[in-house]
Amino acid sequence: AAWMSAGLFFLYTGAEVALGAWAYSLLVESRGIDAGSAGLWVGSYWAFFTVGRLAAGWYAERMGIHFMVIFSLMLALLGAVWLWWNPGNRANLWAVALIGLAIAPVFAALMSGTSGRVGEHFAANTIGMQLAAGGLGAAIIPGLVGVLARRTSLEVIPLCLMALFAVELGLYTLAVKTASRSGHSLAA
């Protein structure tokens, strides 16, 4: 359970930083969006992310942490699919902002749910592992996405995001099932 929790943070921070690092290049160099608009909308990724983080406490109370993580990851996956679909410049820009809003509460929700996934006894050590794995994901995944983009095209970025969000959703579901079998409560 602790390793699955660490994996969640590795994937989450990797996806968060990868989109922040590569969205501008995707929008300008591959999709032909003018630099000013792309810069504004990549900035909106971080702005929507900030708004989502600020609002997370409000809707965590209403939804519950477990539902919020599932909903957020599904919405992020939808945003990545929309970005991959590429129906037009405005849609691309809104897809980036949607992903920012969607993933905003995930880090805090995953951190809050640690004891529910691993048990109180292992929570403190697991939190340390999660933070280390998050830093590692932020360092490794954007670089791997860049290597893939250089070897193929920048259009691989949305596919990587789709894969990251889908794997994270699957791993989270597995972590919840494992916690439930172990008798831990995710009711927060």
Side-chain angles (χ1 to χ4, degrees), residues 5-180:
S5 284
L8 289 169
F9 280 80
F10 179 83
L11 294 169
Y12 169 78
T13 58
E16 174 189 314
V17 174
L19 182 58
W22 290 108
Y24 182 83
S25 297
L26 172 69
L27 296 174
V28 172
E29 295 174 28
S30 186
R31 307 264 169 104
I33 296 173
D34 72 273
S37 294
L40 180 67
W41 281 90
V42 171
S44 79
Y45 165 70
W46 295 110
F48 276 76
F49 183 88
T50 302
V51 168
R53 275 271 163 96
L54 293 172
W58 179 80
Y59 52 92
E61 279 183 14
R62 284 149 183 78
M63 289 185 193
I65 290 172
H66 172 65
F67 182 77
M68 187 171 64
V69 170
I70 295 288
F71 179 76
S72 294
L73 291 174
M74 289 176 71
L75 196 58
L77 182 56
L78 177 68
V81 168
W82 194 15
L83 188 61
W84 167 76
W85 179 33
N86 187 16
N89 287 353
R90 283 205 180 269
N92 287 313
L93 302 173
W94 280 109
V96 170
L98 174 64
I99 295 169
L101 183 66
I103 65 173
V106 174
F107 186 92
L110 289 175
M111 193 62 74
S112 296
T114 300
S115 62
R117 287 189 307 278
V118 301
E120 285 291 329
H121 182 71
F122 298 108
N125 289 338
T126 303
I127 287 171
M129 290 172 55
Q130 290 172 163
L131 290 172
L136 199 58
I140 292 174
I141 290 176
L144 291 176
V145 170
V147 168
L148 279 171
R150 185 171 37 156
R151 291 188 178 186
T152 58
S153 82
L154 290 167
E155 292 300 321
V156 79
I157 294 166
L159 293 173
C160 290
L161 292 170
M162 288 165 47
L164 288 165
F165 293 133
V167 170
E168 178 144 12
L169 189 56
L171 185 58
Y172 181 75
T173 303
L174 180 61
V176 168
K177 286 181 182 178
T178 301
S180 180

